[in-house]
Amino acid sequence: MLFIKNKLILNKRWITLLLWFVIAYWVISVGIGLYAGTKVHTSKDFAIAGRHLPMQVVIATVFATWFGSETVLGIPAVFLKEGLHGVIADPFGASLCLILVGLLFAAPLYRMNLLTIGDFYRKRFGHTAETLTSIAIVISYLGWVGAQITALGLVFNVLSAGEISKITGMWIGSGTILIYTLFGGMWAVAITDFIQMIVIVIGMLFIGHEISGQLGGVGVVIEHAQQAGKFEFWPNLDAKEMIGFFAAWITMMLGSMPQQDVFQRVQSAKTIKIAVWGTVLGGVMYFLFAFVPMFLAYSATLIDPKMVSELIDEDPQMILPTLVLEHAPLIAQVMFFGALLSAIKSCASATLLAPSVTFTENIIKPILIKRLAGERLPDHALLTYMRIVTLTFTLLVTLYAVHSDASIFSMVENAYQITLVMAFVPLACGVYWKRATNQGALLSIFLGLTTWLAILIAGPEDPFIPAQLAGVIASGFGMLIGSLLPKIIQDPIPEHSQSFLHEHAAHPHQH
């Protein structure tokens, strides 16, 4: 690390100012979260903000949730090494996911008036499908939340000039984010996301203007990147390479669709129109602004090629922060780290809340109801369990991040493979194929998971068909075969399923 090696000499005034900025920003965020906690009276308030969010807040929370550490640190590092071809999963796949969710799934899911995405699987395919997909969704968040906490540790290490270790920074970051998420739930996440989106947009544009000004304008950087071949997007006409490219693309584009954080934003909207277009516009904004950190990171190759050559293999995620610290004025540094912290905080809070709500609603709640012999679980008890699970999940995922040596980008990209192979096909067929049955869903989940695991564990190191692509293909065949064959699994389609199918068939595209 450059700071440990004393290659960056930071004066005491700079450290003091930047640290005070971080402290103040942290205190304000916690204050907002505690204020938002006054709006939380029910589990619905905690999980989906009581379905009261206006258009601008839905756009902001969709954008800010996905504009995380991987967007500012992970994607630029991969872009410098591999060009646009290397970032097909994110931002291309990620932004398309949000746009397609808005256009294809937001309206039918919003009409179902659910608390979690797991509730959809229960209503459409039964309790077993609900449990299996919910477990997959919760597991998938380990990588995503771990990436945000890893980035928080890095930022605290940078801002303290190495005085705060990465691990200590991880615990500080996760602990403070936990406070306002624990009390305010989705209300806290939404309100802080709205403020953080403003900070991200202003901060990124400002630092982009500062850096491009040193090089003679944006066009100079773009032209240089084009000549260096960084804009080569499509794979070579080689079967294996094309299949790998397609697999990387769909990992986040399709694997992110059956995710609680996306679903929460759809369900939190005040109206069905806001649910649809808030998600679409948030996805478009994410796609556009994801290119700003890539532009900044490539600018570093022109401003300080020696620094880039030293870090490109050792720790490429440090290139952008180092560029800002060594070659930007103090105000630009404050704006950059403000935007970075906003990106990480908004993403981390959302991804702490989503799996916690899913686990409580779809795993714990059915167990508790069974113990109560079918009696209704009091809502205040469900809210308490949601907060306990949020606390527990934060501790577990911080431990995971502390002991993981994966890059931020790979942690995020790999997070969606399990939901791709287990949950995407049942979601898509459950909404758009009337003949999909619970037997088909269970066979889809089983074949998708076992195929994926078999290739990962026993397959070749570099398979011709990547494990996640083989898994989702097997999942599709499982749904087709299981739904068309005579019933072997005698778990009837839930009573809500037929009414949902009838309603969706009546107005499938009503926005």
Side-chain angles (χ1 to χ4, degrees):
M1 177 71 64
L2 285 181
F3 299 98
I4 303 299
K5 296 176 181 177
N6 295 319
K7 289 186 178 180
L8 285 179
I9 301 175
L10 306 173
N11 61 64
K12 187 175 180 181
R13 184 184 172 208
W14 179 90
I15 296 174
T16 303
L17 283 173
L18 211 48
L19 280 178
W20 273 113
F21 163 76
V22 172
I23 292 169
Y25 190 55
W26 229 250
V27 170
I28 291 170
S29 296
V30 172
I32 291 171
L34 293 176
Y35 165 75
T38 62
K39 295 177 174 289
V40 177
H41 305 292
T42 66
S43 59
K44 189 174 181 180
D45 291 334
F46 188 83
I48 54 174
R51 283 192 144 193
H52 290 312
L53 299 186
M55 176 72 81
Q56 65 270 25
V57 178
V58 172
I59 294 172
T61 193
V62 168
F63 167 78
T65 296
W66 283 56
F67 200 99
S69 61
E70 73 284 358
T71 315
V72 182
L73 301 176
I75 294 174
V78 175
F79 174 73
L80 286 181
K81 283 188 169 185
E82 305 177 30
L84 284 183
H85 178 82
V87 294
I88 179 62
D90 195 0
F92 289 93
S95 54
L96 268 174
C97 166
L98 295 172
I99 293 168
L100 292 175
V101 165
L103 295 176
L104 300 177
F105 294 102
L109 291 178
Y110 188 88
R111 281 194 293 268
M112 292 183 75
N113 193 21
L114 308 172
L115 199 64
T116 69
I117 188 70
D119 290 346
F120 166 81
Y121 294 103
R122 182 184 71 250
K123 285 195 171 187
R124 185 65 174 86
F125 297 119
H127 177 62
T128 304
E130 170 197 19
T131 302
L132 293 173
T133 52
S134 296
I135 290 172
I137 289 167
V138 171
I139 292 173
S140 74
Y141 278 97
L142 280 174
W144 198 3
V145 187
Q148 311 314 314
I149 293 174
T150 299
L152 283 172
L154 186 148
V155 171
F156 276 108
N157 182 256
V158 168
L159 294 180
S160 65
E163 292 297 318
I164 298 175
S165 69
K166 281 187 178 182
I167 292 176
T168 303
M170 289 181 193
W171 284 107
I172 293 172
S174 63
T176 48
I177 289 172
L178 172 65
I179 293 173
Y180 69 78
T181 305
L182 194 66
F183 285 97
M186 188 60 194
W187 270 114
V189 170
I191 294 172
T192 53
D193 277 357
F194 182 73
I195 296 170
Q196 287 159 356
M197 183 195 75
I198 296 172
V199 175
I200 290 169
V201 170
I202 294 175
M204 283 292 148
L205 291 178
F206 183 84
I207 190 67
H209 177 266
E210 286 291 320
I211 295 297
S212 63
Q214 298 180 27
L215 295 167
V218 174
V220 174
V221 181
I222 293 176
E223 184 179 352
H224 193 280
Q226 187 173 15
Q227 292 175 354
K230 295 299 180 183
F231 293 158
E232 293 180 6
F233 180 72
W234 299 106
N236 296 323
L237 294 177
D238 173 79
K240 186 175 184 302
E241 191 172 335
M242 291 173 69
I243 291 172
F245 180 83
F246 179 71
W249 196 336
I250 67 168
T251 297
M252 288 190 71
M253 182 173 69
L254 304 183
S256 301
M257 288 183 181
Q259 288 283 5
Q260 177 63 15
D261 61 283
V262 179
F263 177 85
Q264 275 180 304
R265 276 129 196 86
V266 168
Q267 291 295 321
S268 298
K270 190 180 291 186
T271 67
I272 198 168
K273 183 178 180 180
I274 293 173
V276 171
W277 294 110
T279 309
V280 170
L281 293 174
V284 172
M285 271 194 68
Y286 173 75
F287 180 75
L288 295 175
F289 274 90
F291 285 94
V292 179
M294 283 189 268
F295 167 83
L296 294 174
Y298 191 80
S299 299
T301 64
L302 304 180
I303 294 175
D304 195 344
K306 182 182 177 183
M307 178 268 290
V308 173
S309 64
E310 290 176 349
L311 285 176
I312 192 70
D313 294 317
E314 177 190 344
D315 194 358
Q317 294 167 166
M318 281 300 302
I319 290 174
L320 188 49
T322 304
L323 170 71
V324 173
L325 289 172
E326 292 189 330
H327 299 281
L330 179 61
I331 182 62
Q333 294 171 8
V334 170
M335 294 296 288
F336 172 78
F337 282 100
L340 177 57
L341 283 169
S342 294
I344 298 170
K345 282 158 62 67
S346 59
C347 192
S349 58
T351 49
L352 284 175
L353 180 65
S356 304
V357 169
T358 298
F359 190 81
T360 307
E361 169 74 8
N362 303 113
I363 306 296
I364 294 179
K365 183 180 176 181
I367 295 172
L368 293 174
I369 290 176
K370 191 174 182 180
R371 288 183 178 178
L372 291 170
E375 291 183 21
R376 186 178 180 86
L377 180 69
D379 189 76
H380 67 85
L382 184 63
L383 178 58
T384 300
Y385 276 107
M386 284 182 179
R387 285 175 164 151
I388 292 171
V389 172
T390 302
L391 171 62
T392 306
F393 187 78
T394 303
L395 292 173
L396 291 175
V397 81
T398 305
L399 288 170
Y400 168 79
V402 166
H403 292 96
S404 175
D405 57 358
S407 72
I408 290 172
F409 186 85
S410 64
M411 287 172 97
V412 172
E413 184 180 12
N414 294 333
Y416 302 105
Q417 292 192 17
I418 189 169
T419 46
L420 174 65
V421 302
M422 288 183 66
F424 169 72
V425 170
L427 173 65
C429 292
V431 172
Y432 283 103
W433 191 34
K434 291 183 185 180
R435 297 187 65 181
T437 66
N438 60 331
Q439 178 175 275
L442 293 176
L443 189 58
S444 171
I445 292 167
F446 174 76
L447 288 182
L449 178 63
T450 53
T451 302
W452 177 61
L453 288 176
I455 295 176
L456 282 180
I457 296 170
E461 188 174 335
D462 185 21
F464 184 78
I465 298 179
Q468 73 270 30
L469 179 57
V472 75
I473 292 172
S475 177
F477 276 113
M479 175 61 79
L480 185 66
I481 295 168
S483 296
L484 297 181
L485 286 179
K487 283 189 180 181
I488 299 173
I489 302 173
Q490 297 301 321
D491 181 18
I493 294 179
E495 58 181 295
H496 304 283
S497 182
Q498 293 302 331
S499 60
F500 162 68
L501 289 172
H502 175 74
E503 180 185 354
H504 182 58
H507 34 248
H509 300 293
Q510 177 187 336
H511 289 178

